Amino acid sequence: MREEVREFVIAQLQDMNYDVEGIDDETTLGPAGVDLESLALADLSIRVEDKFGVRFSDEESEQLALMTVGEFTTEVAGRVAQQV
């Protein structure tokens, strides 16, 4: 499941016109990495929520910006697994 989530996240970043060249599990989503601003992070979160049926609270947005791609995909996969 984690790999499926990761592929989806990378595809969505590309769809949102972010350069995905060189993005790996250690790349942060926020300013030090992909450089998603709050609106783009919200957009990505909504896309992930819609695809995988998970939810992120408004309070989690700051935490998401600090996560790496690997941490984010692991978090989403974990939430999906909890729903089953």
Side-chain angles (χ1 to χ4, degrees):
M1 171 54 67
R2 186 180 178 287
E3 191 57 35
E4 179 184 346
V5 173
R6 185 183 187 290
E7 288 174 11
F8 180 79
V9 167
I10 298 298
Q12 296 313 300
L13 290 172
Q14 191 167 23
D15 185 60
M16 294 163 62
N17 295 318
Y18 282 89
D19 181 12
V20 296
E21 185 84 24
I23 290 180
D24 61 21
D25 282 353
E26 301 302 314
T27 305
T28 59
L29 294 171
V34 179
D35 201 18
L36 293 180
E37 296 186 11
S38 57
L39 252 103
L41 192 56
D43 185 15
L44 178 63
S45 297
I46 290 168
R47 291 174 186 220
V48 168
E49 288 175 346
D50 290 347
K51 170 76 174 172
F52 296 102
V54 297
R55 294 284 167 251
F56 295 102
S57 67
D58 292 339
E59 294 78 34
E60 289 179 291
S61 60
E62 274 187 45
Q63 292 173 310
L64 296 178
L66 299 175
M67 287 183 172
T68 64
V69 171
E71 291 168 338
F72 182 69
T73 56
T74 299
E75 178 68 25
V76 172
R79 290 182 186 205
V80 171
Q82 287 177 350
Q83 292 178 343
V84 178

